[in-house]
Structure formats: structure tokens, C-alpha cells
Amino acid sequence: MTTQTLDGVTVNTQANVYFDGKCVSHGITLADGTKKSVGVILPSTLTFNTGAAEIMECVAGSCEYKLDGTDNWVKSTPGEKFSIPGNSKFDIRVTESYHYICHFA
């Protein structure tokens, strides 16, 4: 099921803008201190590096992703999630705007 709302959050109003504006996100903090980001990736193919492990949740649009060390592109659509290990990287290919929640481990 796709997450529709996040209740009781503090939003960092300063946008995180990456890849010349192809990815824009806002950091949020839940009441229990859990940090996440919500954002959108515009049509492009990008490579992201991770510090901490992440779970990417698709809330609208779609993408294809390829984890570091693999050759397979996997599609992710609304309601689906994929996990990226910490200290890793992944490629993401977007042909329509991909709206996401990034859950940090």
C-alpha cells in the first residue's frame, strides 16, 4: 500500500536539489525522531551514493533501479519499495516523474 500521509512531522523547508534540479527532496523528522526525505526525480538516469542503508518507497510514477554490483534493472511502481545497502550506490532510471519517500535505516 502506498503511503498517503505522514502525520506529526517537522519539515525542513530548505530543499535538497541534486543533479541540476533533476532530483529535489525535503528532509522530514517524525515525532519519534525518525528521519526521512520526500521528493521527486524528474526524467533522467542518475547514480546515487548512500551512507546509511535506505529504503526507497514509490508513491507515484515509476522508476527502474539497478543496485551496485548487479546488471539487472528492476521496475518499481506505486506501493513498491526497494532497499539499498549502506555505503553503496545505485542507478535509477526515470521516464516519468518518480515521487518517493526515502526511509533511512
Side-chain angles (χ1 to χ4, degrees), residues 26-28 34-38 52-55 101-105:
H26 289 270
I28 62 172
T34 302
K35 295 190 181 296
K36 302 181 184 293
S37 67
V38 296
E54 300 177 1
I55 298 170
I101 301 171
C102 180
H103 306 268
F104 300 106

Side-chain angles (χ1 to χ4, degrees), residues 6-88:
L6 296 168
D7 297 323
V9 301
T10 301
V11 177
N12 182 345
T13 58
Q14 179 69 41
N16 302 303
V17 180
Y18 305 101
F19 302 105
D20 295 322
K22 291 180 177 75
C23 177
V24 179
S25 69
H26 289 270
I28 62 172
T29 305
L30 303 179
D32 68 0
T34 302
K35 295 190 181 296
K36 302 181 184 293
S37 67
V38 296
V40 64
I41 299 174
L42 301 177
S44 55
T45 300
L46 307 171
T47 300
F48 286 89
N49 295 301
T50 63
E54 300 177 1
I55 298 170
M56 293 289 285
E57 177 185 351
C58 179
V59 295
S62 67
C63 76
E64 293 179 306
Y65 66 91
K66 183 173 63 150
L67 298 177
D68 193 28
T70 68
D71 293 324
N72 298 328
W73 288 95
V74 179
K75 187 165 186 163
S76 180
T77 59
E80 295 181 332
K81 299 176 184 179
F82 63 95
S83 297
I84 306 102
N87 299 312
S88 183

